[in-house]
Amino acid sequence: MALEEYIIPALIVLVIILSQSIKVVKEYERVVIFRLGRFSGVKGPGVFFIIPIVDTAVKVDLRIVTIDVPKQAVITYDNVTVAVDAVIYYKVLKPESAVTEVEDYKYATAMLAQTTLRDVIGQIELDEVLSGREKVNKDIQEVLDASTDPWGIKVTSVTLRDVSIDEKMLRAIAKQAEAEREKRSRIILSDGEYKAAQKMLDAARLYQEVPTTIKLRELQTIAEVAREGNMVVVTSTSDSGNIAALTEAFTSKKK
């Protein structure tokens, strides 16, 4: 009878110890084990055992974590104030570093993302922020990834979600864009006129070198005008022989 009194409490204690010893973690989780305060190893996924009281287990999620960086005012390199918010994606690659190297890796990464966002945008001009978002995203990601690497964290992606500008600055940007388009149109028009003038100069030099060509050009113009049935073309007859010869040459050339 006395033996049974000891067996039942012993079984209860054994069940409690086993329940505390058996651990189960999912496929996307790992457990960092500390034995008497010292790092012992990383366990999981699946079932494993620990020593109650002696071992301490810290669970780490290996899935991609999303950080919503709240909108904040940032001054660009050309002294323009913009409101920027972003989304940061990262994952834990080394659970032991995420637990032992930083107190709270989630909070630390979120704070680092905010400061890095301000630092990177503060080094570039507004035009680059608006037109080169892919490059800005890549720059922020590289800086974050280098800073979080000792923590065992990999920053997989950074996306600027919105860039807000003051209404006055928007009007100034619109005027600048309009002036830029006007400048381009003037340059294109001037370039066209320059090329046309160059062609006319080349033609004038050719006419000067071969005077007969200008008479042929005159006859071709007369022929084009004479196609209209209700028109009468009157030319100078002082050089009729030359005109006849040139006409015959022009007609034979067309045949």
Side-chain angles (χ1 to χ4, degrees):
M1 190 70 179
L3 183 60
E4 293 180 355
E5 293 179 356
Y6 289 106
I7 291 176
I8 294 176
L11 289 175
I12 294 174
V13 172
L14 181 61
V15 170
I16 294 174
I17 292 175
L18 288 176
S19 64
Q20 295 295 322
S21 301
I22 300 175
K23 298 293 182 181
V24 180
V25 294
K26 300 180 179 64
E27 182 66 31
Y28 54 83
E29 294 175 333
R30 298 294 184 273
V31 173
V32 180
I33 305 298
F34 294 92
R35 182 160 295 169
L36 296 177
R38 298 179 63 88
F39 172 71
S40 176
V42 179
K43 301 292 186 179
V47 181
F48 60 93
F49 295 89
I50 64 171
I51 303 175
I53 302 174
V54 176
D55 291 345
T56 303
V58 180
K59 188 180 295 186
V60 179
D61 196 324
L62 302 185
R63 291 176 295 182
I64 293 178
V65 180
T66 304
I67 299 178
D68 184 7
V69 181
K71 183 169 291 188
Q72 51 190 318
V74 182
I75 300 177
T76 61
Y77 185 77
D78 49 351
N79 295 322
V80 178
T81 302
V82 295
V84 183
D85 63 340
V87 180
I88 312 294
Y89 302 90
Y90 74 91
K91 64 184 302 183
V92 178
L93 296 182
K94 298 179 181 179
E96 63 275 16
S97 299
V99 174
T100 59
E101 298 295 333
V102 61
E103 180 181 2
D104 186 345
Y105 69 90
K106 293 183 178 180
Y107 178 77
T109 304
M111 294 298 100
L112 182 63
Q114 293 185 24
T115 56
T116 303
L117 179 65
R118 290 195 296 267
D119 292 342
V120 171
I121 294 182
Q123 297 175 4
I124 57 179
E125 296 183 354
L126 176 62
D127 291 343
E128 189 175 352
V129 176
L130 297 176
S131 61
R133 288 198 181 188
E134 291 185 2
K135 183 179 182 302
V136 176
N137 293 338
K138 185 178 179 181
D139 291 344
I140 296 174
Q141 179 182 349
E142 290 178 352
V143 175
L144 275 176
D145 199 27
S147 300
T148 58
D149 184 66
W151 306 342
I153 294 174
K154 171 66 177 177
V155 178
T156 59
S157 179
V158 175
T159 303
L160 289 180
R161 189 164 55 184
D162 185 31
V163 179
S164 302
I165 308 174
D166 185 73
E167 187 68 27
K168 294 181 179 178
M169 183 56 61
L170 284 176
R171 289 196 294 268
I173 293 174
K175 290 181 180 179
Q176 180 183 1
E178 184 179 357
E180 184 69 23
R181 288 193 297 268
E182 181 69 20
K183 182 185 75 172
R184 291 179 182 177
S185 65
R186 289 178 180 271
I187 291 175
I188 293 172
L189 180 61
S190 300
D191 185 62
E193 299 220 354
Y194 173 79
K195 290 180 179 179
Q198 187 66 42
K199 293 296 182 182
M200 293 178 67
L201 177 61
D202 295 340
R205 287 174 178 171
L206 179 61
Y207 290 148
Q208 185 178 10
E209 293 174 0
V210 186
T212 309
T213 56
I214 192 153
K215 182 59 69 174
L216 289 173
R217 180 60 181 162
E218 179 183 352
L219 291 175
Q220 184 179 7
T221 304
I222 293 172
E224 291 177 358
V225 174
R227 291 176 184 173
E228 298 293 333
N230 58 351
M231 296 185 65
V232 177
V233 180
V234 179
T235 62
S236 174
T237 57
S238 60
D239 198 11
S240 58
N242 293 336
I243 292 176
L246 291 172
T247 304
E248 182 179 357
F250 179 71
T251 305
S252 62
K253 183 180 179 181
K254 295 193 69 174
K255 290 181 179 179

